[in-house]
Amino acid sequence: MDVYYSVFLLSIFWQGCHGIMWSLAPNTQKCLKEELHANVLVAGEYEVVEAPGQRVDYIVRDSKGHILSQKDSINKGKFTFVTETYDTFEVCFISKVPPERRGVSQEVFLNIKVGFEAKNYEGIGEAAKLKPMELELKRLEDLSEAIVQDFTLMRKREEEMRDTNESTNNRVLFFSIFSMVCLLGLATWQVLYLRRYFKAKKLIE
């Protein structure tokens, strides 16, 4: 079975939902991959155009192969999961056609919401009996928290990269000093050796 991978940006929280549509060839699979923070809610909605005698399965898993959501013979539905750690996650759609049939391509539509956009604010408002203004303030508060968390992670990554660069520079400096000392030592040994050799041959006094 042929495998096709493509990158799907999910980590920019304030851009809202992300929808994508593609044509899935018979007996192939396509996976959408993205890195996500820990404790992030992800909600997806999919729809597959039916084809007689064919079926499409989907599976959601992390980089370690842990299955977060899975379903066979899909047509239309939803899935949700919460990330436990910072990791790379992928959503794969797999086309399966019997050998005796000549398959056709199927259109697949996928709409994914990440972070605060994946929350059902209508349900939250009804459960907490919030007014429309209060519900909008709640949504803006969650948006602000998501942006702050994103900038915090960016700052942490910057600090890690800076520490790595400083550590690499120090190692290169120590290696350069060590190399110079070795070269100077080797040069001194060669001079002393040649001097003893020439004295032994009585070529110099």
Side-chain angles (χ1 to χ4, degrees):
M1 179 180 292
D2 297 329
V3 182
Y4 298 95
Y5 288 95
S6 64
V7 177
F8 189 47
L9 299 177
L10 304 177
S11 59
I12 306 178
F13 295 123
W14 50 87
Q15 284 190 353
C17 59
H18 306 265
I20 184 173
M21 179 181 291
W22 71 91
S23 181
L24 184 63
N27 287 324
T28 64
Q29 79 174 31
K30 186 167 187 177
C31 297
L32 309 176
K33 307 175 68 174
E34 182 55 36
E35 295 180 354
L36 294 174
H37 309 162
N39 300 319
V40 174
L41 175 63
V42 180
E45 183 176 359
Y46 57 84
E47 184 174 358
V48 179
V49 177
E50 295 185 8
Q54 299 182 197
R55 86 179 213 196
V56 175
D57 306 337
Y58 90 86
I59 183 172
V60 181
R61 58 196 169 199
D62 59 18
S63 61
K64 300 179 182 62
H66 299 150
I67 297 176
L68 305 176
S69 181
Q70 184 179 19
K71 190 174 182 180
D72 298 337
S73 300
I74 62 174
N75 179 23
K76 184 177 182 181
K78 300 178 181 180
F79 63 85
T80 59
F81 65 92
V82 178
T83 61
E84 296 182 357
T85 60
Y86 177 81
D87 202 350
T88 300
F89 300 86
E90 65 177 5
V91 182
C92 295
F93 289 83
I94 308 164
S95 171
K96 295 183 178 180
V97 182
E100 65 275 8
R101 296 188 63 90
R102 183 176 181 179
V104 296
S105 297
Q106 295 175 266
E107 296 295 326
V108 180
F109 173 77
L110 176 64
N111 187 18
I112 290 184
K113 298 180 181 179
V114 181
F116 81 97
E117 286 291 344
K119 294 183 179 180
N120 183 6
Y121 283 97
E122 293 181 359
I124 294 175
E126 291 177 359
K129 297 181 179 179
L130 299 177
K131 296 179 180 179
M133 183 61 68
E134 293 174 333
L135 186 61
E136 183 65 18
L137 290 175
K138 172 64 176 173
R139 192 186 72 82
L140 293 175
E141 180 183 359
D142 292 344
L143 172 61
S144 300
E145 291 179 359
I147 294 175
V148 170
Q149 290 177 1
D150 196 49
F151 276 107
T152 301
L153 180 62
M154 291 174 61
R155 184 175 180 180
K156 182 179 179 182
R157 287 182 177 178
E158 181 187 1
E159 292 175 353
E160 292 176 352
M161 292 180 63
R162 184 173 64 250
D163 293 341
T164 301
N165 290 336
E166 291 177 354
S167 176
T168 302
N169 291 336
N170 291 334
R171 291 180 182 180
V172 171
L173 177 61
F174 292 148
F175 179 76
S176 299
I177 294 174
F178 176 75
S179 299
M180 291 295 295
V181 171
C182 290
L183 290 174
L184 290 174
L186 181 61
T188 303
W189 176 81
Q190 286 179 333
V191 170
L192 295 177
Y193 174 81
L194 291 174
R195 185 175 181 181
R196 287 198 303 269
Y197 175 80
F198 289 139
K199 280 187 176 181
K201 295 296 184 178
K202 297 181 179 180
L203 297 176
I204 61 173
E205 296 182 358

